[in-house]
Amino acid sequence: MRTMFQKIWERHEVVAETADTPAVLYVDLHLIHEVTSPQAFAELAARGLPVRRTDRTLGTLDHSTPTRTEQVFGGAPIAIESAARQVRALEANSAAFGVELLGLRSAQRGIVHVIGPELGLTQPGTTIVCGDSHTSTHGAFGALAFGIGTTEVGHVLATQCLLQRRPRTLGIEVSGRLAAGVTAKDLILAIIGRIGVAGGTGHVIEYHGETIRALDMDERMTVCNMSIEAGARAGMIAPDETTYAYLRRRARAPQGADWERSLEAWRELPTDPGARFDREVAFDASPVEPMITYGTNPGMAIPISGRVPARGDDPVLARALAYMGLEGGEPLRDRPVNVVFLGSCTNSRLSDLRGAARVLRGRKLARGVRMLVVPGSQQVKAAAEAEGLHRIFLEAGAEWRESGCSMCIGMNGDTVARGEYSVSTSNRNFEWRQGAGSRTLLASPLTAAACAVRGRITDPRELL
Amino acid sequence: MEPVKTLRSRTVVLAASHIDTDQIIPARFLTTTTRAGLGRQLFTDWRYGPDGAPRPDFALNRPEAAGCAILVAGRNFGCGSSREHAPWALVDYGFRAVVSTEIADIFRSNALKNGLLPVVVDEATGRWLIEHPGVEVTVDVETTTLTLPSGARARFPLEPFARYCLLNGVDELGFLLVQLPRIEAYERRKTAVS
């Protein structure tokens, strides 16, 4: 009896771990981007090493890349000069080492964790790494996927392997139906609120149970994406018919006879009945309400109708509330909002845009509110435009951008101003994350859209 | 990588829990293509006010913090983004060890690859160190112990291979490259199966 994690791990051990040495773990897919790869390529160049498996390596541009159309497609230079240099560095490194790059003007470019699944590269049973902590997203397909540092990016480029100690496993069983207006984002915020931002440290999480089975792939990705915000390097969900239906006929998924063979192998992956996780948590999803964060880490989340916890003598909470300009015990509801950001690897897929559009259709942004809508990839952008979603956003008064990490990370020109409150569908509400002195409240696309319409913290169920 | 055997230094304390890598090195400084010079931006938003002037009350800016190579921090240090720029910035600034009751997984892995010691101590030791900034402590990689001024020792976990690499200045890539024949054999097996 083995867990899905065990099955995948054991299948990728080139050399098993011993008491003295970590395992040599094989990497099936290595995704790279402009921010965490230049120093790794420099290391290879210094040692005279090639990229060992260019066929298992794919690059894209997302983090420091601008989202303004003219800076992407021409008419204006990339405004941040160091970002422009970084873009050119990945272009040059990809050419020199023979790595495929979905470049600035590629119709397949996008946030690295959006394009892997979208292209059908993210497949059950595989190991996937990237120099980015939200690589956990790909675990939604029953892959073992985790973020690595730049030195390790170099290891994978040079050897297609990593030295790894086997992590422990944490099973989170989710039962109960999500209420109307409550999304996968609310669910994962509630789970992090429960187990804490270090609750998954040293572990790989497997989310399972009836609630998880009922989620579509976009929703599963949102859940796995935020595993790292609970401290877990990876989050996984067993593949099933939902997974296969999503992957079938994707450009780079197995085709024809290969598809049938792959399907047979994928059906063997789920955790065997009776297999045990090192730790287990049971979570009831039925009482979960739309969630919103009030503090400076993603565990500081409350139901949108709730009150900010009293300060007490917790210095972390006191510091967080001072930064956020909030008082302990006050309700968040109806507090004014300055900026709304719809995007990021957590919530920038087509269904996220559809959800927000449902709220915004025929409505306008409240006076003084700025809203940025940044699709996760150029393919998501094209699909959204094909069904007219962009018109709903533009008519409401929002900005419609090219794909990228945008305001999630504040290193590409899209930022929130000092002291402003930003309701954001991204994953981190850390101090300064969205810009100097920015104050981030994490929420679902539905909540974000509702806040944009009212200009105040709003329960989306009032507008659905 | 230079071998790291023992380290003796006074400590500087940042008591906050959950210090994330965005605080250690904010994202706007990640548009660099080298590893060098990031110490200047270490903890920038905590070190400097909006006018760019150093905040005198921030621990790293106090005169007694000069030359300290050991950072003591609250639990769950280094959480968040996987950016290796965080240990690069700490090392460039002059830190050689981070002591906490809990250190985030990816940060820990990145730190070890840069000769920055992640020292996870028990609650009592962690609390004592936070309450006594500036004390001189010794971190010994060979015995995996941290010694307090009283002579009391706390053991810290260090994976044997990481310990070996630190003590001998071995980098992991060299070790992996030696495994290439086994990696190739694995790939042949894998192709044969699928």
Side-chain angles (χ1 to χ4, degrees):
Chain A
M1 286 184 300
R2 294 184 302 160
T3 62
M4 175 168 60
F5 163 77
Q6 265 175 296
K7 295 179 193 181
I8 299 173
W9 177 274
E10 285 162 14
R11 219 167 280 172
H12 289 84
E13 277 180 325
V14 173
V15 181
E17 67 179 345
T18 67
D20 291 329
T21 49
V24 177
L25 193 72
Y26 195 78
V27 172
D28 292 318
L29 175 64
H30 186 195
L31 300 167
I32 59 173
H33 62 82
E34 75 277 23
V35 174
T36 58
S37 66
Q39 297 87 348
F41 280 113
E43 186 70 24
L44 260 65
R47 295 184 188 228
L49 294 167
V51 171
R52 194 162 167 278
R53 291 297 298 264
T54 51
D55 58 330
R56 292 187 177 276
T57 313
L58 177 69
T60 192
L61 298 159
D62 55 3
H63 279 69
S64 60
T65 312
T67 62
R68 289 191 182 276
T69 302
E70 65 278 14
Q71 290 183 36
V72 175
F73 288 104
I78 295 178
I80 301 174
E81 214 181 290
S82 54
R85 274 199 300 277
Q86 222 167 30
V87 167
R88 287 197 298 272
L90 185 54
E91 287 168 351
N93 284 325
S94 300
F97 286 86
V99 170
E100 183 187 2
L101 173 66
L102 299 175
L104 205 52
R105 299 178 189 185
S106 165
Q108 295 181 326
R109 187 184 64 81
I111 302 176
V112 64
H113 311 309
V114 175
I115 65 168
E118 185 175 80
L119 292 169
L121 279 168
T122 300
Q123 293 167 21
T126 57
T127 48
I128 302 174
V129 301
C130 173
D132 188 278
S133 62
H134 292 109
T135 307
S136 58
T137 312
H138 305 263
F141 291 78
L144 174 60
F146 53 90
I148 57 178
T150 296
T151 298
E152 289 182 322
V153 170
H155 294 175
V156 181
L157 290 174
T159 69
Q160 205 58 32
C161 287
L162 279 174
L163 293 169
Q164 291 287 303
R165 280 286 171 194
R166 185 167 168 152
R168 295 185 293 278
T169 53
L170 165 60
I172 300 185
E173 182 178 11
V174 189
S175 59
R177 264 179 83 141
L178 287 175
V182 178
T183 70
K185 179 65 161 289
D186 304 302
L187 173 63
I188 189 63
L189 283 172
I191 290 174
I192 297 166
R194 159 95 167 270
I195 69 172
V197 288
T201 303
H203 293 77
V204 165
I205 299 176
E206 183 180 334
Y207 305 92
H208 61 107
E210 58 182 18
T211 318
I212 300 297
R213 296 266 70 85
L215 299 178
D216 67 24
M217 290 315 297
D218 286 4
E219 294 171 319
R220 293 180 190 186
M221 284 188 258
T222 299
V223 169
C224 288
N225 172 273
M226 290 192 72
S227 302
I228 184 67
E229 312 317 331
R233 273 183 101 164
M236 322 171 78
I237 293 173
D240 58 11
E241 296 309 318
T242 305
T243 320
Y244 311 142
Y246 176 101
L247 279 175
R248 193 187 291 271
R249 285 184 285 276
R250 294 264 161 186
R252 303 196 191 189
Q255 310 286 335
D258 278 349
W259 170 263
E260 295 304 326
R261 261 201 307 278
S262 300
L263 208 52
E264 211 172 300
W266 295 344
R267 292 194 198 282
E268 300 299 315
L269 284 169
T271 294
D272 299 327
R276 297 297 298 265
F277 300 98
D278 295 313
R279 269 174 64 209
E280 306 200 25
V281 170
F283 191 89
D284 181 4
S286 51
V288 174
E289 287 186 52
M291 299 290 289
I292 191 159
T293 63
Y294 58 85
T296 54
N297 74 50
M300 295 178 171
I302 51 172
I304 199 156
S305 58
R307 286 172 184 273
V308 174
R311 248 171 222 254
D313 55 1
D314 177 353
V316 173
L317 179 60
R319 184 191 168 96
L321 295 185
Y323 181 86
M324 294 298 292
L326 296 171
E327 293 298 330
E330 73 172 315
L332 279 182
R333 212 180 143 144
D334 289 334
R335 279 195 68 94
V337 169
N338 309 103
V339 177
V340 172
F341 171 55
L342 175 59
S344 89
C345 57
T346 311
N347 282 125
S348 63
R349 299 175 185 84
L350 189 58
S351 59
D352 299 315
L353 304 188
R354 281 178 182 156
R358 220 173 106 209
V359 176
L360 286 166
R361 189 185 302 274
R363 295 185 168 121
K364 299 272 182 210
L365 303 193
R367 184 191 296 269
V369 171
R370 177 187 184 205
M371 181 176 186
L372 219 61
V373 183
V374 186
S377 71
Q378 296 306 104
Q379 289 205 61
V380 169
K381 182 171 191 254
E385 288 178 350
E387 51 187 81
L389 300 183
H390 65 308
R391 276 197 294 276
I392 296 171
F393 297 127
L394 288 167
E395 281 163 16
E399 297 173 51
W400 177 245
R401 296 291 188 89
E402 304 300 329
S403 65
C405 299
S406 185
M407 240 181 215
C408 174
I409 190 162
M411 64 179 297
N412 43 52
D414 298 342
T415 53
V416 173
R418 187 179 293 277
E420 286 192 341
Y421 289 93
S422 162
V423 176
S424 173
T425 65
S426 55
N427 40 58
R428 288 186 175 139
N429 50 353
F430 297 153
E431 290 179 27
W432 287 61
R433 172 82 179 183
Q434 294 193 284
S438 59
R439 291 161 162 169
T440 305
L441 301 100
L442 302 175
S444 76
L446 297 181
T447 301
C451 295
V453 168
R454 291 268 176 85
R456 294 174 177 279
I457 304 288
T458 302
D459 188 328
R461 292 173 296 193
E462 293 168 23
L463 293 179
L464 285 171
Chain B
M1 202 165 76
E2 293 293 310
V4 187
K5 291 190 165 69
T6 61
L7 175 65
R8 187 176 174 78
S9 167
R10 283 179 298 109
T11 63
V12 57
V13 173
L14 294 176
S17 303
H18 313 299
I19 294 176
D20 58 77
T21 54
D22 270 88
Q23 307 315 313
I24 299 171
I25 181 83
R28 63 188 184 281
F29 301 117
L30 306 190
T31 57
T32 174
T33 53
T34 73
R35 300 171 181 233
L38 289 166
R40 280 195 303 278
Q41 284 105 24
L42 178 73
F43 291 116
T44 292
D45 299 328
W46 292 2
R47 257 163 89 193
Y48 303 104
D51 55 353
R55 293 175 191 271
D57 58 336
F58 184 60
L60 266 62
N61 292 334
R62 297 212 186 101
E64 62 271 24
C68 289
I70 299 178
L71 177 66
V72 172
R75 69 180 280 257
N76 197 27
F77 184 83
C79 59
S81 156
S82 60
R83 61 190 68 167
E84 196 164 321
H85 308 67
W88 292 340
L90 286 159
V91 169
D92 188 57
Y93 185 84
F95 287 113
R96 294 293 175 266
V98 175
V99 183
S100 174
T101 54
E102 187 165 16
I103 292 179
D105 290 340
I106 305 180
F107 177 85
R108 178 186 175 85
S109 163
N110 287 338
L112 284 167
K113 289 172 183 64
N114 291 279
L116 179 70
L117 293 170
V119 179
V120 175
V121 294
D122 58 276
E123 290 289 337
T125 305
R127 201 176 321 119
W128 191 88
L129 283 168
I130 282 180
E131 288 165 0
H132 297 84
V135 296
E136 190 164 74
V137 299
T138 303
V139 178
D140 189 305
V141 177
E142 185 87 51
T143 59
T144 63
T145 52
L146 177 142
T147 308
L148 299 175
S150 66
R153 288 177 174 201
R155 287 293 296 269
F156 61 87
L158 187 61
E159 204 260 307
F161 182 72
R163 180 170 157 273
Y164 170 82
C165 289
L166 287 167
L167 287 171
N168 298 285
V170 171
D171 78 73
E172 290 187 5
L173 182 52
F175 181 88
L176 269 172
L177 289 168
V178 173
Q179 308 290 325
L180 276 177
R182 300 172 85 169
I183 297 169
E184 283 159 12
Y186 171 90
E187 286 175 330
R188 282 194 298 274
R189 262 193 335 266
K190 195 167 168 141
T191 316
V193 173
S194 64

